[in-house]
Amino acid sequence: MKNYSLKNILAVPLGAITLLAGCSKFDKINTDPNQTSQVTSGMLATGMILNITRSSISSTKGFMQPYLLGKYLTWGEGQESFQYNKFGRANFDRLLQLRNIPPMLAYAEDDGLRKSYSGLGHFIRAWQFFQTTMQVGDIPYSQAGKGESSNIIQPAYDTQKEVFLGILNELDSANILLAEGKKFAGDPIYAGEADNWRRLANSFQLHVLMNLYKKTNDPDLKVIARFNDIVANRPLMRSYADNFALTYTAAAGQNYPWSDVPAGSGNSFVKSNYTMLSATLIDPLKAMKDRRLFYYAKPSPVKIAAGKLMTDWDAYIGAEPSNAFPVLQTMRVGKDYSDLNNRYVNLVNAEPVSLFSYAELQFVLAEAALRGWISTAPAQTYYAAGITSAMKFTAAYTPDLEDYHHNMKIDDNYIQTYVAAVALTGNTAAQLQQIILQKYLAGFLQGSNYNAWYEHRRTGYPVFILNATTNLNTPTTQFPVRWLYPANELSFNNANMDAAVQRQFGGSDNVNSVMWLLKD
């Protein structure tokens, strides 16, 4: 993760990132002198990287949606579907970006650049297919994006196992190509350093493999052997400086997603005070005397008025996100709750938002050590490194102001004491719960899309309260486990989609249907 401004990159007109075909007198007459007419590999790379980062992260209310699903907070504008576990249809829009990979390679000026852009392309493919299959199950993979090259406009669906094999192979290719590549243009994350992308690709592959933990006996996937080989032989992320994260600036259009930027920006949701932090987040922070509480939240004004100090743990109150909306509204009107820390609102260039972080990598390694997949270090070592990195990241990006840390600073001495206090203990299940909880706490306003919810779906941790009286899933006695297939697939690729639904779920495209990944 580089502190690399997007100002110049984002100034490139959108039209310059769109491939144009054909030439005519009309084109010559209507050439816009303010736009470049030459597409480059760097421009195409920028568009795809920002599609993963800037577009996925979104802003204002959209920024908060994944954290509603992950039970980090509640939303008071109305009864939100994600907060109450209601899923609709997914979309495959992120796969549309993949059509720009072949021309990105074609425009590369030499072999070193071609290898870098090719490695980047494999990573982007792996990332986009992974995020898509995690939502629904089987998806088009081998025939996806072949409309222009092979005239395949209705791609067949690959099985989820085939998709995961493809993702793993893509990341293996990224590792090889980026090792031989060179610095390239168009990168708003790592300023074109191929080694950083290589480390990300390898670290992310460990995350993918951990999601396959129920498939360790599959002879094709070779989950544990792959995991061991990567840890032993490939470079991985080294610190939070390597986070796959978008850094924000004070420039117009580049502000932190929740910042209260000047009027007229369209950021009106921030001023409406719709958020309350959840008990799922607040209660464990208080129980473990975790000072991130004072960086994430601000105290209840009711408790402060009653004589509590901003340094009092009991001054911070979380709302139970599964409570009925009227109950939460009563709590909101009464103002006895904790809202987001003012730093998220006041700072237009607040902390970078990570899609995948060094801390997350360490928690993956901790789980792998706990499961006996690796013996390079005890689970406690990786677990401690994950906590330490997450805390140092939060402290490093928080200005030293009372309003932002409430005089409960995180420093090296505190981190050392805290890590010792929450050391792994108990049986395997208890230690796994500790690891996932710390991953959850580190993921506040961080993480890729619905990562906290995926972790809950995968492990059952952290525990989310299922309230049958407010749950919008049907039946109300269980959480949903997947999204429905996209409406566009119903209209334009129905036969292939139906075949996939029949193969996986006996013909019912249902949010409660269990995909291959989740089956023992």
Side-chain angles (χ1 to χ4, degrees), residues 33-55:
N34 297 317
Q35 292 190 10
T36 179
S37 59
Q38 179 61 53
V39 177
T40 67
S41 297
M43 290 178 185
L44 295 168
T46 300
M48 288 185 284
I49 293 170
L50 290 182
N51 179 262
I52 290 176
T53 56
R54 192 166 181 253
S55 298

Side-chain angles (χ1 to χ4, degrees), residues 101 104 117-127 167 169-171 173-174 177:
I101 293 175
M104 177 178 69
Y117 284 121
S118 182
L120 174 67
H122 281 294
F123 171 79
I124 290 173
R125 282 176 56 85
W127 182 276
I167 290 167
N169 291 335
E170 301 266 14
L171 293 169
S173 296
L177 289 160

